[in-house]
Amino acid sequence: MMAKITKGNDFKGVVDYILDKDKNAQVIAFDGLFMENKDTIAMSFNVQWQMNNKVSKPVGHIALSFSKEDEPRLTNRVMAGIALEYMERMGIRDTQFFIARHFDKEHPHVHIAFNRIDNSSNTISDRNERLRSTRICKKLTKKYGLHMANGKDNVKRERLKEPYKTKYELYDILKTEIGRCGNWNVLVANLKRQGVEVHFKHKGQTDEIQGVVFTKNGYHFNGSKVDKRFSYSKIGAVLQRNRREEYMELASTAKDNELGQATTPTPSTTGHGEFFSGSFGLLNVNSSYNAADAEANQEMAEILRRKKKRKRGMRL
């Protein structure tokens, strides 16, 4: 279950959109409105808005989307109940609203239109509404045993518009490249070849890096805004892990050679010959990266020292 929240100032526009006959809309719940037709619904909203017309965006519009896997059990009654509980938890109460189900897409979804001016002329708060909505959607998904989608991997890229289209392109690129690179230099070089520029944010006037910004198609995204996994610190942790695994693989190959079981090392480019991979043979690494590289080198030295010690023991 996911929610998309928007606000506006045109009640007639949102009513016409939600109740468009081409979307096969079905009203499944409402309160406080004259539901004779679209004009009377919009008029009802506007009359209540006049009780507090200083609010520039009185129109509340929320689309609740569900997974296609849940469609057999999502009757109109069930969807109305979930939508009403969502509204209550969001603090959308004591106001005009209607809920309509659409059948124009493959996944079940409903639209909620409500007046942000409640029946007592107070404004319904939108403070931290997206954060609260995300938490509520997760709780309701668990409560009703709904299908838990796999997040960004399930988003249909072809339907996206800018800047979301670029954001998800960037997500796909980062997911691939971070998983196969061994340090920031390699990652930055690979991203640049795919039209992605990387900029680091520093703490004040110091050299300490606090964050990373990715730029593609003229759009700028903080790493953590693309996905929580892509913050500067979390990317760094993955790169360091990749580097350790690479050292371990080389150490294993060296051991096989010592035992007379020479093997031919396999390239680490995973089929993308034009891109760099791994962490060796790189120059001009700044001090922020050298610390991690030094740690990995120290670990590698310790591995080789232990191997030599075991070898001496075997000769005795």
Side-chain angles (χ1 to χ4, degrees), residues 253-262 311 314:
T253 301
K255 179 180 179 181
D256 289 342
N257 288 337
E258 288 180 359
L259 297 175
Q261 301 174 353
K311 189 175 181 180
M314 293 173 62

Side-chain angles (χ1 to χ4, degrees), residues 8-11 45-59 115-118 120-124:
N9 58 11
D10 183 6
F11 280 112
F45 277 131
N46 281 313
V47 169
Q48 184 150 306
W49 176 24
Q50 296 307 310
M51 296 167 58
N52 188 354
N53 58 15
K54 292 182 180 180
V55 176
S56 61
K57 293 186 176 181
V59 180
N115 202 328
R116 295 188 59 233
I117 310 304
D118 69 18
S120 301
S121 75
N122 298 314
T123 305
I124 294 176

